[in-house]
Amino acid sequence: MTRTLKCSFCGKSAAQVGRLLAGPKVHICGTCVEVCVKILDAVPSEFGDGWESMSDEQLLAALAPTAATVDGTRAVLQAQIEELRKRTVSWDAIGRALGISRQAAWERFS
Ligand SMILES: [Zn+2]
């Protein structure tokens, strides 16, 4: 079996994105790094002085990068669960690990 390296956040292969940066068991492509930088720029660094201090425009500008991160994270979660299912780990065990019911795990990820 050939292992294709993929961005852990957007799921694109190394061939599609050019270069991947590697971390412990994860990889990230340049596009996703840019998304992260945008989020860090857009999100106020102090929590106490949070969303309320941002203008409508700033908040609107922060929506797309945040949504991209949510999608990327969901893709990582899905990939992890698919790997567990390949290993025939039960929906019951996956649900327990996520703190949800077996049924809820199955409905969300199968
Ligand atoms: Zn990526």
Side-chain angles (χ1 to χ4, degrees), residues 1-15:
M1 184 181 117
T2 323
R3 271 187 70 91
T4 314
L5 287 182
K6 282 196 283 189
C7 174
S8 309
F9 293 81
C10 68
K12 287 182 185 152
S13 69

PDB file of all heavy atoms in Angstrom, residues 1-15:
ATOM      1  N   MET A   1       0.841  -1.200   0.000  1.00  0.00           N
ATOM      2  CA  MET A   1       0.000   0.000   0.000  1.00  0.00           C
ATOM      3  C   MET A   1       0.874   1.247   0.000  1.00  0.00           C
ATOM      4  O   MET A   1       1.790   1.392   0.803  1.00  0.00           O
ATOM      5  CB  MET A   1      -0.881  -0.052   1.259  1.00  0.00           C
ATOM      6  CG  MET A   1      -1.883   1.089   1.327  1.00  0.00           C
ATOM      7  SD  MET A   1      -2.861   0.967   2.861  1.00  0.00           S
ATOM      8  CE  MET A   1      -2.388   2.466   3.690  1.00  0.00           C
ATOM      9  N   THR A   2       0.590   2.145  -0.897  1.00  0.00           N
ATOM     10  CA  THR A   2       1.329   3.402  -0.951  1.00  0.00           C
ATOM     11  C   THR A   2       0.641   4.433  -0.073  1.00  0.00           C
ATOM     12  O   THR A   2      -0.554   4.614  -0.176  1.00  0.00           O
ATOM     13  CB  THR A   2       1.362   3.965  -2.389  1.00  0.00           C
ATOM     14  OG1 THR A   2       1.475   2.879  -3.287  1.00  0.00           O
ATOM     15  CG2 THR A   2       2.517   4.909  -2.569  1.00  0.00           C
ATOM     16  N   ARG A   3       1.408   5.070   0.770  1.00  0.00           N
ATOM     17  CA  ARG A   3       0.825   6.117   1.616  1.00  0.00           C
ATOM     18  C   ARG A   3       1.015   7.456   0.947  1.00  0.00           C
ATOM     19  O   ARG A   3       2.135   7.871   0.678  1.00  0.00           O
ATOM     20  CB  ARG A   3       1.511   6.138   2.978  1.00  0.00           C
ATOM     21  CG  ARG A   3       0.858   5.226   3.977  1.00  0.00           C
ATOM     22  CD  ARG A   3       1.477   5.435   5.335  1.00  0.00           C
ATOM     23  NE  ARG A   3       1.110   6.745   5.879  1.00  0.00           N
ATOM     24  CZ  ARG A   3       0.046   6.934   6.646  1.00  0.00           C
ATOM     25  NH1 ARG A   3      -0.729   5.931   6.942  1.00  0.00           N
ATOM     26  NH2 ARG A   3      -0.243   8.119   7.124  1.00  0.00           N
ATOM     27  N   THR A   4      -0.103   8.126   0.666  1.00  0.00           N
ATOM     28  CA  THR A   4      -0.032   9.458   0.108  1.00  0.00           C
ATOM     29  C   THR A   4      -0.130  10.451   1.249  1.00  0.00           C
ATOM     30  O   THR A   4      -1.056  10.393   2.039  1.00  0.00           O
ATOM     31  CB  THR A   4      -1.200   9.699  -0.865  1.00  0.00           C
ATOM     32  OG1 THR A   4      -1.302   8.568  -1.708  1.00  0.00           O
ATOM     33  CG2 THR A   4      -0.961  10.931  -1.694  1.00  0.00           C
ATOM     34  N   LEU A   5       0.834  11.339   1.340  1.00  0.00           N
ATOM     35  CA  LEU A   5       0.770  12.362   2.382  1.00  0.00           C
ATOM     36  C   LEU A   5      -0.300  13.372   2.024  1.00  0.00           C
ATOM     37  O   LEU A   5      -0.403  13.813   0.894  1.00  0.00           O
ATOM     38  CB  LEU A   5       2.116  13.067   2.514  1.00  0.00           C
ATOM     39  CG  LEU A   5       3.223  12.250   3.159  1.00  0.00           C
ATOM     40  CD1 LEU A   5       4.482  13.096   3.275  1.00  0.00           C
ATOM     41  CD2 LEU A   5       2.810  11.734   4.520  1.00  0.00           C
ATOM     42  N   LYS A   6      -1.101  13.708   3.023  1.00  0.00           N
ATOM     43  CA  LYS A   6      -2.200  14.655   2.809  1.00  0.00           C
ATOM     44  C   LYS A   6      -2.183  15.714   3.890  1.00  0.00           C
ATOM     45  O   LYS A   6      -1.738  15.467   5.009  1.00  0.00           O
ATOM     46  CB  LYS A   6      -3.547  13.926   2.870  1.00  0.00           C
ATOM     47  CG  LYS A   6      -3.867  13.156   1.615  1.00  0.00           C
ATOM     48  CD  LYS A   6      -5.333  12.773   1.551  1.00  0.00           C
ATOM     49  CE  LYS A   6      -5.641  11.622   2.453  1.00  0.00           C
ATOM     50  NZ  LYS A   6      -6.987  11.086   2.268  1.00  0.00           N
ATOM     51  N   CYS A   7      -2.708  16.888   3.529  1.00  0.00           N
ATOM     52  CA  CYS A   7      -2.911  17.932   4.530  1.00  0.00           C
ATOM     53  C   CYS A   7      -3.979  17.440   5.502  1.00  0.00           C
ATOM     54  O   CYS A   7      -5.065  17.048   5.093  1.00  0.00           O
ATOM     55  CB  CYS A   7      -3.346  19.229   3.863  1.00  0.00           C
ATOM     56  SG  CYS A   7      -3.790  20.511   5.055  1.00  0.00           S
ATOM     57  N   SER A   8      -3.673  17.450   6.803  1.00  0.00           N
ATOM     58  CA  SER A   8      -4.616  16.949   7.797  1.00  0.00           C
ATOM     59  C   SER A   8      -5.814  17.879   7.954  1.00  0.00           C
ATOM     60  O   SER A   8      -6.822  17.505   8.532  1.00  0.00           O
ATOM     61  CB  SER A   8      -3.931  16.811   9.159  1.00  0.00           C
ATOM     62  OG  SER A   8      -2.738  16.082   9.027  1.00  0.00           O
ATOM     63  N   PHE A   9      -5.695  19.108   7.455  1.00  0.00           N
ATOM     64  CA  PHE A   9      -6.762  20.086   7.665  1.00  0.00           C
ATOM     65  C   PHE A   9      -7.729  20.136   6.494  1.00  0.00           C
ATOM     66  O   PHE A   9      -8.937  20.110   6.703  1.00  0.00           O
ATOM     67  CB  PHE A   9      -6.153  21.468   7.922  1.00  0.00           C
ATOM     68  CG  PHE A   9      -5.414  21.505   9.221  1.00  0.00           C
ATOM     69  CD1 PHE A   9      -4.111  21.006   9.322  1.00  0.00           C
ATOM     70  CD2 PHE A   9      -6.013  22.004  10.355  1.00  0.00           C
ATOM     71  CE1 PHE A   9      -3.435  21.016  10.521  1.00  0.00           C
ATOM     72  CE2 PHE A   9      -5.339  22.021  11.569  1.00  0.00           C
ATOM     73  CZ  PHE A   9      -4.049  21.520  11.650  1.00  0.00           C
ATOM     74  N   CYS A  10      -7.220  20.189   5.249  1.00  0.00           N
ATOM     75  CA  CYS A  10      -8.130  20.272   4.109  1.00  0.00           C
ATOM     76  C   CYS A  10      -8.185  18.964   3.338  1.00  0.00           C
ATOM     77  O   CYS A  10      -9.035  18.784   2.471  1.00  0.00           O
ATOM     78  CB  CYS A  10      -7.745  21.426   3.184  1.00  0.00           C
ATOM     79  SG  CYS A  10      -6.178  21.177   2.331  1.00  0.00           S
ATOM     80  N   GLY A  11      -7.300  18.038   3.633  1.00  0.00           N
ATOM     81  CA  GLY A  11      -7.359  16.716   3.007  1.00  0.00           C
ATOM     82  C   GLY A  11      -6.746  16.637   1.616  1.00  0.00           C
ATOM     83  O   GLY A  11      -6.793  15.597   0.974  1.00  0.00           O
ATOM     84  N   LYS A  12      -6.177  17.750   1.145  1.00  0.00           N
ATOM     85  CA  LYS A  12      -5.561  17.697  -0.190  1.00  0.00           C
ATOM     86  C   LYS A  12      -4.218  16.964  -0.118  1.00  0.00           C
ATOM     87  O   LYS A  12      -3.522  17.016   0.896  1.00  0.00           O
ATOM     88  CB  LYS A  12      -5.361  19.111  -0.726  1.00  0.00           C
ATOM     89  CG  LYS A  12      -6.666  19.758  -1.147  1.00  0.00           C
ATOM     90  CD  LYS A  12      -6.437  21.142  -1.714  1.00  0.00           C
ATOM     91  CE  LYS A  12      -7.773  21.798  -2.008  1.00  0.00           C
ATOM     92  NZ  LYS A  12      -7.694  23.255  -1.913  1.00  0.00           N
ATOM     93  N   SER A  13      -3.862  16.294  -1.225  1.00  0.00           N
ATOM     94  CA  SER A  13      -2.619  15.526  -1.236  1.00  0.00           C
ATOM     95  C   SER A  13      -1.424  16.443  -1.476  1.00  0.00           C
ATOM     96  O   SER A  13      -1.575  17.571  -1.950  1.00  0.00           O
ATOM     97  CB  SER A  13      -2.679  14.471  -2.327  1.00  0.00           C
ATOM     98  OG  SER A  13      -2.639  15.107  -3.586  1.00  0.00           O
ATOM     99  N   ALA A  14      -0.255  15.924  -1.149  1.00  0.00           N
ATOM    100  CA  ALA A  14       0.981  16.684  -1.352  1.00  0.00           C
ATOM    101  C   ALA A  14       1.113  17.102  -2.813  1.00  0.00           C
ATOM    102  O   ALA A  14       1.584  18.195  -3.122  1.00  0.00           O
ATOM    103  CB  ALA A  14       2.183  15.862  -0.904  1.00  0.00           C
ATOM    104  N   ALA A  15       0.661  16.240  -3.725  1.00  0.00           N
ATOM    105  CA  ALA A  15       0.745  16.553  -5.150  1.00  0.00           C
ATOM    106  C   ALA A  15      -0.115  17.768  -5.502  1.00  0.00           C
ATOM    107  O   ALA A  15       0.236  18.551  -6.376  1.00  0.00           O
ATOM    108  CB  ALA A  15       0.315  15.349  -5.975  1.00  0.00           C
TER     109      ALA A  15
END
